[in-house]
Amino acid sequence: MFKNMIVYRIAPQWQVELTQVEEALAKMPFSECGATQEKSLGFVPPRGEAHGALAESVGGQWILRFMVESKVLPGSVLARKVKEKAARIEQETGRKPGKKESKELKDEAKLDLLPMAFTKQGSMWIWIDPAARLLVLDTSAQGRADEVVSLLVEALPGLSVALLNTQTSPQAAMAHWLKAQEPPVGFTVDRECELKSANEEKAVVRYARHPLDIEEVQAHIDAGKLPTKLALTWDDRVSFMLTEGLQIKKVAFLDTVFEGSKADDGGFDTDVAIATGELVKLIPDLIEALGGEAEPGSAPGTEAPAPAAPAALAAARPAAPSRKAGGGVVTGPKEAPVDTDPGAVPF
């Protein structure tokens, strides 16, 4: 649960009860794809129980689960079916189908094949902390997060959210931590990072299972390569990968989190309590490490704490265009962070 995180701030005017959320989600339940339906999406009971609640509360933390099912229809199979239909028309009429007719044949072929296509399912955990006004999605793909947030904004009347935005951009902060070898208070730098050149060549250097407090890393930063990923550990309890777009990936809870727990402890409530109990403390500490939260609507800063990071940090790109959906509003910094995980389907 919550192996990856994209974090949004909920506007203070959104004040609802869990029952209202449940009623709203009941209008968007998930159902499997029909025979000729390419994609189906909606909300499922997070406990996995048939006909269970679509919004659960554990210790005041609200948990939802979003499900997507899509039909897998290989392009080569579709193309062969279209070719067969076109050949049949040419044989019967002596003419080749035109451009418009070819498009119609493709649509017809797709309808023929969809009932026989395999289906693929994927789900996404959604965590709402009403007290801290946080919306957290368990995904590393910004495009998919945007899709789900838009549906939530449409489903939950008055919901307004913005991508979490900090005074110091993650890229500037990560460069400073590596250059000065001074991780923020409460955090340690681990043994994995990615540095990318800001010029047209986009040269990339990756370190895995390698110490980062070496002159070579500092030299790459001096040469203009900027961190796009950096492995960190918080309070010896949670390890994760921070990205330039303020995405939190590869979340792992360390042994200290489970001290005092029995071997047979488990289940939905325990998993939620452990995950949210740690992350609700990690997120504010991370925001503080990045200079605090920026004012809504302002662009994220690019300056790291003194000593200043290299001038190349000015190239650090901040994240997400303002956009509206349904009755609520989704806002954020000026540019969306790069979707670095486009291949994970559906999530």
Side-chain angles (χ1 to χ4, degrees):
M1 182 178 288
F2 298 106
K3 299 300 182 183
N4 302 286
M5 297 194 298
I6 295 179
V7 185
Y8 295 80
R9 178 67 74 189
I10 299 173
Q13 64 268 24
W14 192 66
Q15 302 287 338
V16 298
E17 300 295 329
L18 185 64
T19 53
Q20 294 173 279
V21 174
E22 173 71 24
E23 290 172 2
L25 298 183
K27 300 175 183 178
M28 297 182 64
F30 170 79
S31 59
E32 295 182 352
C33 289
T36 58
Q37 187 178 1
E38 286 188 74
K39 185 177 180 180
S40 179
L41 47 82
F43 295 91
V44 296
R47 289 185 185 273
E49 301 171 351
H51 311 297
L54 296 177
E56 293 281 356
S57 178
V58 177
Q61 306 298 328
W62 299 352
I63 303 296
L64 323 175
R65 196 172 188 187
F66 184 77
M67 180 75 75
V68 170
E69 182 178 81
S70 56
K71 292 284 185 75
V72 180
L73 190 59
S76 58
V77 175
L78 180 60
R80 185 168 66 246
K81 188 72 171 178
V82 173
K83 188 175 181 180
E84 290 173 1
K85 288 179 174 289
R88 191 177 303 117
I89 290 175
E90 187 173 358
Q91 183 179 7
E92 293 173 354
T93 65
R95 63 175 181 80
K96 291 184 177 181
K99 187 175 181 180
K100 181 180 179 181
E101 191 174 7
S102 294
K103 184 179 182 304
E104 293 173 349
L105 289 177
K106 185 176 181 179
D107 293 338
E108 184 181 305
K110 185 178 290 186
L111 289 175
D112 291 344
L113 293 169
L114 280 174
M116 298 179 286
F118 291 105
T119 58
K120 193 169 187 177
Q121 288 188 347
S123 64
M124 180 190 297
W125 292 105
I126 301 170
W127 165 30
I128 298 175
D129 183 341
R133 295 191 295 105
L134 291 176
L135 168 66
V136 181
L137 305 186
D138 183 15
T139 180
S140 61
Q142 186 65 53
R144 295 184 183 102
D146 288 343
E147 178 183 19
V148 174
V149 166
S150 294
L151 289 170
L152 284 171
V153 167
E154 180 181 348
L156 304 176
L159 176 63
S160 297
V161 301
L163 275 168
L164 192 62
N165 188 14
T166 54
Q167 295 283 356
T168 303
S169 74
Q171 195 165 59
M174 291 188 292
H176 168 68
W177 300 336
L178 289 171
K179 175 70 176 173
Q181 297 184 24
E182 293 181 3
V185 176
F187 293 83
T188 56
V189 172
D190 294 338
R191 296 161 57 88
E192 185 176 354
C193 81
E194 179 181 275
L195 304 167
K196 184 178 292 185
S197 174
N199 59 27
E200 294 180 357
E201 294 181 359
K202 302 296 182 185
V204 177
V205 177
R206 295 185 179 92
Y207 291 89
R209 299 181 296 279
H210 196 288
L212 302 179
D213 55 347
I214 56 176
E215 293 183 0
E216 182 180 291
V217 171
Q218 298 178 42
H220 281 305
I221 295 173
D222 287 337
K225 292 186 179 69
L226 302 172
T228 55
K229 300 176 184 177
L230 179 63
L232 299 165
T233 291
W234 168 78
D235 199 28
D236 293 326
R237 300 178 69 81
V238 184
S239 66
F240 62 96
M241 181 81 72
L242 179 64
T243 76
E244 60 182 325
L246 197 46
Q247 298 162 348
I248 302 170
K249 300 183 177 183
K250 298 183 179 180
V251 176
F253 300 102
L254 306 184
D255 291 342
T256 51
V257 171
F258 303 99
E259 289 179 357
S261 299
K262 298 178 181 178
D264 58 352
D265 283 350
F268 178 81
D269 292 87
T270 300
D271 291 344
V272 170
I274 289 174
T276 59
E278 297 298 322
L279 298 175
V280 78
K281 293 179 284 189
L282 183 156
I283 292 172
D285 283 1
L286 182 59
I287 292 172
E288 183 177 349
L290 296 172
E293 198 162 355
E295 291 295 324
S298 64
T302 56
E303 295 302 322
L313 294 177
R317 287 175 43 181
S322 297
R323 55 199 181 276
K324 294 186 178 181
V329 180
V330 184
T331 63
K334 293 182 178 178
E335 297 181 13
V338 177
D339 189 342
T340 56
D341 187 21
V345 179
F347 290 115

